[in-house]
Amino acid sequence: MAGAVLGPASAGTVVLYSSNNVETVNGVVDQFTKENPDIKVSVVRAGTGALMQRIKAEAANPLGDIFWSGGLSTIGEFRDQLAPYVSAQASAVPSAYRGPDGLWLGTNTHVTVLMTNVRQAPAAQPPRTWTELADPKWKGKVVIPDPERSSASFVALYGLRSLLGQEVLDGIARNAVIVGTTSAAYESVAKGEFAVAVTMEYAAYEYVAGGLKDIRIVYPAEGTFLSPEGMALIKGGKNPAEARKLYEFLASKSVQTKVFQSAYRRPLREDIDVSSLSDLPALSSIKVVRLDDARMGSERAAFIAQWRRTISAR
């Protein structure tokens, strides 16, 4: 749900465009305004793609000041609408997640995982690998979000094909039930309707942290994939000083720690050890397969077309 910005923003106001969920945004904004009572934050919420298109459409008369947060591959496609800014805290984030000339800064990353309900798994054994899911014993037990609608699923399946090839991906697709949204996949595993979901770490961990004993998180042995997210200042924003203050707040170790503790969004800052704050492993201990964001973006349409052919041929 998007909140309307009424009239031009005045001094002491910052307009935040965000694709984060309501609870996360509200928690951060409440804390920021407590610490900065002279600044009002107006929030517009929508999906990353929609917000970036809005920023582009408003380029001649920007109505937003700062965007937080969405996939770095998507943000990078709209670099002409972004303002360079090098935060003093940027050095805490690996250079791979920092935009050229400070056009964006990575904040957190999603990790692709297999969320398993052991009650529904064959012999109550979670899978250890991607390849196992192509075995006929998993037919009808695996749920995958439609990669055309879910960016996280697209990253997972594109990465899976890059890592293990089309044949393995086709085998998994033959066994899978495809659903329309990311949440429909992990919620159905939590309810015991399926054994395995291809999903994001934070979503699965919410159930583990909530005490659901049947849920396991599997990082496949062949490797897994990251979907890094970040933030950026909007070029020509009318409140640059206030926007930079909010940017520094969002980049801070304390705020990113709190966001992880409340929403399990894994920070990209290297000075935050999530393994000391939760039962999740440190990122350095996870086998990560790096993907080329630019190539992934350019090949998206062809990948989706091939995916449709695979699904229709089942």
Side-chain angles (χ1 to χ4, degrees):
M1 182 175 68
V5 179
L6 303 177
S10 59
T13 296
V14 59
V15 181
L16 171 65
Y17 286 2
S18 183
S19 60
N20 274 313
N21 63 48
V22 173
E23 294 79 11
T24 300
V25 173
N26 287 349
V28 165
V29 168
D30 287 349
Q31 187 61 37
F32 178 78
T33 53
K34 283 178 186 176
E35 295 181 20
N36 300 273
D38 56 327
I39 300 176
K40 177 186 175 184
V41 181
S42 294
V43 178
V44 177
R45 280 194 65 261
T48 297
L51 286 172
M52 298 311 292
Q53 290 290 351
R54 177 171 178 158
I55 290 168
K56 183 177 181 179
E58 294 172 351
N61 180 32
L63 300 179
D65 296 303
I66 180 172
F67 171 79
W68 175 71
S69 66
L72 294 187
S73 57
T74 302
I75 291 174
E77 293 175 15
F78 294 85
R79 65 184 64 204
D80 291 345
Q81 279 69 54
L82 309 178
Y85 175 65
V86 179
S87 166
Q89 303 180 84
S91 60
V93 176
S95 59
Y97 308 117
R98 290 182 253 150
D101 301 318
L103 285 177
W104 59 83
L105 179 64
T107 52
N108 64 282
T109 187
H110 298 304
V111 181
T112 301
V113 300
L114 299 177
M115 174 181 170
T116 303
N117 188 314
V118 292
R119 281 181 176 267
Q120 301 304 320
Q125 292 297 315
R128 296 179 298 104
T129 66
W130 289 109
T131 308
E132 284 178 60
L133 297 181
D135 188 304
K137 75 179 183 180
W138 290 97
K139 188 169 182 62
K141 296 180 178 296
V142 181
V143 59
I144 299 176
D146 183 348
E148 190 168 9
R149 301 184 188 182
S150 166
S151 59
S153 186
F154 167 64
V155 170
L157 298 176
Y158 177 93
L160 176 55
R161 187 184 70 175
S162 301
L163 179 63
L164 297 174
Q166 187 68 47
E167 185 176 348
V168 172
L169 178 59
D170 288 349
I172 294 172
R174 282 193 293 270
N175 287 339
V177 174
I178 312 303
V179 294
T181 64
T182 303
S183 59
Y186 60 73
E187 288 172 359
S188 63
V189 170
K191 293 174 183 174
E193 295 169 1
F194 295 94
V196 179
V198 176
T199 190
M200 294 176 286
E201 178 187 58
Y202 86 89
Y205 189 67
E206 285 182 346
Y207 293 101
V208 173
L212 204 55
K213 305 291 188 187
D214 295 330
I215 301 302
R216 304 285 187 276
I217 298 175
V218 176
Y219 303 86
E222 303 101 329
T224 191
F225 319 102
L226 302 183
S227 298
E229 296 187 332
M231 62 180 174
L233 296 180
I234 298 169
K235 183 189 291 185
K238 297 178 174 63
N239 305 282
E242 291 84 358
R244 286 193 293 270
K245 186 167 281 192
L246 178 56
Y247 189 105
E248 291 293 339
F249 179 82
L250 294 171
S252 69
K253 181 178 180 180
S254 61
V255 168
Q256 293 196 10
T257 298
K258 287 177 182 176
V259 169
F260 174 75
Q261 290 173 318
S262 64
Y264 307 118
R265 301 297 204 270
R266 183 185 282 268
L268 283 168
R269 288 186 65 117
E270 294 182 301
D271 56 359
I272 301 176
D273 177 12
V274 302
S275 65
S276 68
L277 302 169
S278 69
D279 292 327
L280 291 174
L283 190 60
S284 59
S285 70
I286 300 172
K287 185 177 181 181
V288 171
V289 178
R290 300 291 180 185
L291 300 175
D292 184 325
D293 284 340
R295 182 176 179 181
M296 185 163 53
S298 68
E299 294 181 356
R300 184 179 189 281
F303 178 89
I304 294 298
Q306 176 61 49
W307 175 258
R308 286 196 198 117
R309 289 193 293 271
T310 298
I311 295 303
S312 64
R314 292 188 302 176

